[in-house]
Amino acid sequence: GSSSVEPVRVRQIIDTLRPLIHGASLCGAGGGGFLLIVTKEPDAIGACEEALSLSHFSTCDIHVSTVEFDHTGIDVFLL
């Protein structure tokens, strides 16, 4: 059996997006949780929305937020 605990709908979304993503993690709990995905390409929101739409998911009940990573980090100088 599977040790997966995500709801069926979440598993379907992950499976639909699998060609576009490196991975996904279901974070939080209950109605306050969210699905974090890491896309293979930057600015892949349109491609993800299209894949979900073609798979008959209603994107109107899915809220998409974006984040960016700072690859240079932070410099700290002691005076």
Side-chain angles (χ1 to χ4, degrees):
S2 173
S3 63
S4 177
V5 294
E6 71 266 345
V8 172
R9 180 171 164 85
V10 171
R11 172 54 40 206
Q12 291 169 338
I13 290 170
I14 293 170
D15 289 344
T16 297
L17 297 176
R18 181 69 54 207
L20 303 170
I21 64 175
H22 285 297
S25 180
L26 187 59
C27 307
F34 62 95
L35 178 64
L36 172 70
I37 64 170
V38 177
T39 59
K40 293 178 180 177
E41 299 295 328
D43 301 320
I45 292 173
C48 290
E49 290 175 337
E50 181 178 3
L52 292 170
S53 178
L54 291 173
S55 295
H56 306 291
F57 286 101
S58 173
T59 55
C60 66
D61 61 348
I62 297 173
H63 176 77
V64 178
S65 299
T66 62
V67 296
E68 293 181 26
F69 293 96
D70 182 353
H71 296 282
T72 60
I74 186 170
D75 290 325
V76 177
F77 298 97
L78 298 175
L79 303 175

